[in-house]
């Protein structure tokens, strides 16, 4: 369809299609810039969080920039946010783990032959022949609870980032109060580990790789390898188990 | 030599103090002009060096407290000794710097080397006499004002009553009496009940030079609040609020960051104040709150580079600014070891460089120019070749003469007006 748009071309020549394509191309590049600014800001917030004595002025300014970007992205619909999300920032990660767990137990209870995580252990042998298509549908069903609004993988990152940074912004200021980096990393580990695991799993499965967001997200989640929170230890174990299974397939 | 973090002349201009990242204070004294060289203005030589602050550890929060001197402020001289306040992130100290150029000789009870004399041996009493000795300058801490700031102290300011001073951190301003160290009064508190709602911090504060009840503080959102301590004990409500409306055409994601005020200074006559934000210096009339009366662009060519400057954190650099004695010229620093001067009357501005190559002793500084676009002329520097690691954050102007001190990382440069 939009073969022309995919090719890199000088927009010197014809107007009509080229013009509109140029327009389309201009917008994503602004979005990309904005996205990379958002990622950079989140990394900075993380980094200054890891410092012994974070500079409060700098943190506040970066946090305000992040909020600004978020507001703008919400306004022009890039985010496709449902407003309830703003209140349920902590719920996002819980949504992932509990939904998977719920599905697994639910499917098991109902005994459905649905490509859900829970049934994987049972269906593993039988599904092997079907291969990638099975896993693809599995991953897409995993994606759905994570990202209620958008279908695109690219859109998911702002979503994650929003959930992450909303919580992180709040936590950052609380913990700047308390000034104990360790507890912050605990809090982050609660959020990030689950994402990180799903992340590796999903990128492994899906053909389209993430853009620069990968780096941003990985660095974002990298400090969260310290003491794991007792609350999500069971969740993490479940996810580890699931990851192992998926990766093997 | 360590990175210089603050520079300040005393009230007479005879002494120049610098503080550095290692917690040291170095004081320079101006040599008296000798009769043999009447046209040669006094040079500044090292007068005293002492360790003001040491690195500390906050055991409760498991955090290191840097020994870097954030600010030095002199007290007006009242006797032979000199007093200054120096502060790091958490503790303010009052230092007494005194000279000793005589020592007593001929004690009755002890020898010249200090050993006690055997009382049996003392046959007669003598009166000790004072003999000259090599000048010794001693610095001793007279007061330590501690444990009053949860956040990092960014400003101290001595009141015109010469009895009190204020100290400001990111969220609070405290009022101290110079004689009392175990108590301070909180006069401004902008900490929100819920830290998650924090969006603005205090960046600088200063007392009015004549009115001892008035002070101002600036914020990270580009606003200045003037407070009157007579109106209430807690000055959370301002008497005047200075803010320039934002230009919607130049709005970007960096607008707020570059509007954050890094320094605020009253003019000597007390009628104006000057604020420094990332790209400009603004002069405000204290009677007009809605906009500054003068705006000077320091390095407007950086506006298109804000994203890179955000990435490398330069956008958070806190530049200071200062007035000359007559309030006719203002000065501030920039990158590449450049510093800028703006003549308020002629509206002319100059860019000068503080570097070894361009500053041979007694050589006249050549004005520099940054090429903003198009063809680069000879002697101009293009924006892309600016060295952003060479930043001049701290400058000071002699209170009465045209003598300036410019701190370029770990070097201190002193410049004076051309002697005709």
């Amino acid at each position: 369809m939009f073969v022309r748009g995919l090719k890199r071309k000088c927009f010197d020549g014809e107007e009509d299609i080229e013009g509109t394509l140029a327009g389309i191309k201009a917008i994503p590049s602004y979005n990309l810039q904005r996205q990379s600014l958002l990622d950079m800001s989140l990394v900075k917030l993380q980094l200054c969080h890891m410092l012994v004595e974070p500079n409060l002025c700098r943190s506040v300014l970066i946090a305000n920039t992040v909020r600004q970007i978020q507001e703008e992205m919400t306004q022009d619909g890039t985010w496709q946010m449902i407003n309830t999300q703003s209140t349920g920032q902590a719920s996002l990660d819980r949504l992932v783990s509990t939904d998977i767990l719920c599905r697994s137990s639910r499917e098991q209870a109902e005994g459905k032959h649905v490509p859900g995580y829970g049934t994987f252990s049972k269906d593993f042998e039988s599904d092997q022949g079907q291969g990638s298509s099975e896993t693809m549908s599995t991953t897409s069903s995993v994606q759905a609870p994570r990202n209620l609004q958008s279908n695109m993988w690219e859109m998911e990152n702002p979503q994650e980032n929003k959930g992450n940074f909303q919580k992180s912004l709040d936590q950052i200021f609380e913990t700047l109060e308390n000034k104990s980096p360790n507890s912050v990393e605990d809090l982050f580990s609660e959020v990030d580990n689950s994402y990180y695991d799903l992340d590796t799993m999903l990128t492994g499965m899906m053909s389209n790789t993430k853009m620069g967001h990968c780096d941003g997200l990985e660095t974002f989640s990298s400090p969260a390898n310290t003491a794991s929170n007792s609350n999500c230890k069971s969740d993490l174990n479940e996810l580890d188990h699931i990851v192992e299974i998926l990766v093997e397939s | 030599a360590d990175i210089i973090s603050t520079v300040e002349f005393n009230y007479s201009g005879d002494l120049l103090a610098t503080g550095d990242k290692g917690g040291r204070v170095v004081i320079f004294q101006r040599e008296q002009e000798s009769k043999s060289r009447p046209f040669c203005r006094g040079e500044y030589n090292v007068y005293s060096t002492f360790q003001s602050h040491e690195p500390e550890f906050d055991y409760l929060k498991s955090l290191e407290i840097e020994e870097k001197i954030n600010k030095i402020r002199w007290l007006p001289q009242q006797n032979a000794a000199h007093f200054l306040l120096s502060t790091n992130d958490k503790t303010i100290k009052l230092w007494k710097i005194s000279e000793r150029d005589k020592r007593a000789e001929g004690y009755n009870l002890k020898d010249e080397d200090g050993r006690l004399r055997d009382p049996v041996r003392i046959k007669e009493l003598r009166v000790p006499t004072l003999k000259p000795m090599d000048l010794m300058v001693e610095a001793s801490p007279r007061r330590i004002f501690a444990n009053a700031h949860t956040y990092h102290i960014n400003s101290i300011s001595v009141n015109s009553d010469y009895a009190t001073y204020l100290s400001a951190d990111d969220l609070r301003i405290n009022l101290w009496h110079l004689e009392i160290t175990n108590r301070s009064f909180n006069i401004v508190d902008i900490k929100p009940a819920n830290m998650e709602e924090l969006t603005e911090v205090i960046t600088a504060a200063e007392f009015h030079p004549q009115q001892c009840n008035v002070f101002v503080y600036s914020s990270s959102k580009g606003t200045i609040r003037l407070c009157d301590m007579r109106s209430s004990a807690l000055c959370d409500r301002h008497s005047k609020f200075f803010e320039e409306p934002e230009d919607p055409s130049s709005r970007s994601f960096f607008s707020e960051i570059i509007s954050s005020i890094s320094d605020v200074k009253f003019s000597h006559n007390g009628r104006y104040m000057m604020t420094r934000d990332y790209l400009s210096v603004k002069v405000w009339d204290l009677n007009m709150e809605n906009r500054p009366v003068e705006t000077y662009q320091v390095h407007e060519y950086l506006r298109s580079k804000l994203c890179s400057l955000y990435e490398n954190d330069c956008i958070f650099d806190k530049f200071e600014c200062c007035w000359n004695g007559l309030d006719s010229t203002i000065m501030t620093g920039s990158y590449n070891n450049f510093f800028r001067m703006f003549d308020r009357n002629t509206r002319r501005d100059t860019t000068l460089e503080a570097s070894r190559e361009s500053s041979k002793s007694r050589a006249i500084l050549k004005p520099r120019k940054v090429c903003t676009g198009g063809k680069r002329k000879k002697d101009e520097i293009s924006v892309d070749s600016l060295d952003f690691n060479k930043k001049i954050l701290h400058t000071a102007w002699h209170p009465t003469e045209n003598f300036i001190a410019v701190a370029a990382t770990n070097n201190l440069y002193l410049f004076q007006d051309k002697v005709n």
Side-chain angles (χ1 to χ4, degrees), chain B residues 90-349:
Chain B
K90 298 286 184 181
T91 306
I92 308 132
K93 294 187 184 180
L94 176 68
W95 287 89
K96 176 180 177 183
I97 297 106
S98 47
E99 290 182 7
R100 193 199 287 264
D101 62 354
K102 295 182 186 53
R103 61 163 194 208
E105 261 180 31
Y107 283 101
N108 291 293
L109 296 175
K110 56 182 182 183
D111 279 339
E112 294 312 316
D113 45 10
R115 276 183 309 182
L116 289 172
R117 288 168 79 191
D118 184 0
V120 175
R121 302 266 195 85
I122 301 171
K123 297 290 176 222
E124 56 178 18
L125 285 178
R126 55 188 180 178
V127 178
T129 53
L130 291 173
K131 294 274 158 60
M133 60 179 252
D134 287 338
L135 178 66
M136 200 167 73
V137 181
E138 298 171 320
S140 58
R142 305 303 283 178
R143 305 271 187 278
I144 296 180
F145 305 91
N147 303 319
H149 287 279
T150 310
Y151 303 97
H152 293 180
I153 297 174
N154 52 54
S155 315
I156 48 174
S157 177
V158 181
N159 205 349
S160 51
D161 63 8
Y162 302 151
T164 58
Y165 75 94
L166 63 76
S167 58
D169 66 27
D170 294 315
L171 298 178
R172 296 192 179 100
I173 302 179
N174 294 330
L175 180 71
W176 301 84
H177 192 282
L178 284 165
E179 301 291 328
I180 299 166
T181 58
N182 60 1
R183 191 166 37 176
S184 80
F185 293 97
N186 177 247
I187 51 177
V188 173
D189 189 339
I190 63 167
K191 184 180 174 197
N194 186 357
M195 275 296 269
E196 297 164 13
E197 293 162 7
L198 179 67
T199 57
E200 193 173 9
V201 300
I202 297 170
T203 53
E206 195 178 60
F207 264 120
H208 190 279
Q210 284 97 34
Q211 296 168 35
C212 59
N213 52 297
V214 172
F215 66 93
V216 292
Y217 68 94
S218 59
S219 82
S220 56
K221 284 197 170 169
T223 65
I224 309 104
R225 287 170 179 80
L226 185 143
C227 301
D228 187 334
M229 294 195 292
R230 296 173 302 189
S231 58
S232 65
L234 188 60
C235 299
D236 276 359
R237 271 205 312 234
H238 53 262
S239 299
K240 294 194 185 184
F241 182 77
F242 298 82
E243 186 179 28
E244 184 171 23
E246 198 189 349
D247 175 14
S249 65
S250 64
R251 179 146 183 77
S252 74
F253 285 120
F254 306 109
S255 295
E256 189 185 303
I257 300 179
I258 62 169
S259 74
S260 174
I261 291 171
S262 51
D263 194 18
V264 64
K265 291 263 171 51
F266 277 103
S267 61
H268 290 92
N269 59 21
R271 289 177 51 202
Y272 300 95
M273 67 178 175
M274 162 167 61
T275 57
R276 175 69 156 100
D277 51 72
Y278 190 63
L279 296 179
S280 67
V281 185
K282 295 177 182 171
V283 175
W284 303 77
D285 184 325
L286 292 184
N287 296 318
M288 187 158 73
E289 300 168 52
N290 57 358
R291 61 179 171 80
V293 288
E294 293 153 34
T295 302
Y296 301 94
Q297 300 302 334
V298 181
H299 36 218
E300 182 68 11
Y301 46 79
L302 295 182
R303 194 180 285 273
S304 55
K305 311 271 177 198
L306 291 178
C307 198
S308 319
L309 294 166
Y310 179 70
E311 198 174 358
N312 63 14
D313 267 8
C314 281
I315 208 174
F316 300 108
D317 286 337
K318 292 193 191 307
F319 292 94
E320 289 174 13
C321 52
C322 58
W323 299 85
N324 73 338
L326 298 172
D327 298 332
S328 59
T329 311
I330 58 183
M331 173 167 69
T332 189
S334 178
Y335 294 104
N336 209 71
N337 279 348
F338 287 170
F339 58 100
R340 304 263 282 140
M341 284 194 204
F342 302 94
D343 186 321
R344 294 178 63 209
N345 299 322
T346 64
R347 292 309 180 113
R348 276 213 307 257
D349 60 277

Side-chain angles (χ1 to χ4, degrees), chain A residues 41-218:
Chain A
S41 305
L42 290 170
V43 169
K44 279 183 185 297
L45 276 176
Q46 271 281 38
L47 279 176
C48 71
H49 212 8
M50 283 166 7
L51 283 175
V52 180
E53 275 264 59
N55 180 337
L56 190 62
C57 182
R58 183 174 170 272
S59 307
V60 167
L61 288 173
I62 298 172
N64 289 351
T65 309
V66 168
R67 269 199 208 99
Q68 253 191 303
I69 298 174
Q70 173 221 338
E71 273 165 25
E72 198 187 271
M73 286 173 102
T74 314
Q75 268 168 25
D76 54 51
T78 322
W79 223 310
Q80 301 168 30
M81 281 291 302
I82 292 177
N83 289 337
T84 50
Q85 285 312 301
S86 57
T87 50
Q89 61 261 34
S91 64
L92 216 68
D93 51 305
R94 264 186 254 134
L95 212 58
V96 178
S97 35
T98 52
D99 209 310
I100 292 168
L101 296 171
C102 284
R103 178 177 292 120
S104 60
S105 50
R106 214 190 316 123
E107 315 302 6
Q108 281 173 354
E110 294 171 25
K112 279 186 187 172
H113 184 76
V114 172
Y117 284 116
T119 56
F120 232 104
S121 47
K122 285 187 219 162
D123 302 332
F124 186 66
E125 300 83 15
S126 52
D127 287 347
Q128 253 181 334
Q130 297 175 14
S132 54
S133 57
E134 194 69 47
T135 52
M136 286 295 276
S137 58
T138 307
T139 54
S140 57
S141 63
V142 170
Q143 242 182 304
R146 267 180 100 199
N147 189 351
L148 302 173
Q149 302 80 12
S150 99
N151 308 320
M152 294 168 66
W153 172 246
E154 286 78 18
M155 287 305 120
E156 211 167 33
N157 294 320
Q159 181 68 27
E160 295 165 2
N161 287 345
K162 208 236 168 205
N164 279 343
F165 93 76
Q166 191 81 345
K167 187 166 187 189
S168 7
L169 274 184
D170 300 342
Q171 290 168 356
I172 279 166
F173 289 123
E174 270 176 27
T175 48
L176 279 175
E177 257 277 65
N178 305 329
K179 292 231 170 73
S180 49
N182 287 332
S183 66
V184 172
E185 284 164 5
D186 287 346
L187 293 164
F188 278 165
S189 71
E190 185 182 359
V191 174
D192 294 346
N193 268 336
S194 53
Y195 278 134
Y196 187 69
D197 292 333
L198 274 175
D199 206 320
T200 37
M201 168 185 73
L202 289 166
T203 44
M205 293 302 114
M206 308 269 289
S207 50
N208 46 330
T209 51
K210 283 185 292 180
M211 299 169 277
H213 309 163
C214 202
D215 303 330
L217 203 61
E218 275 171 46

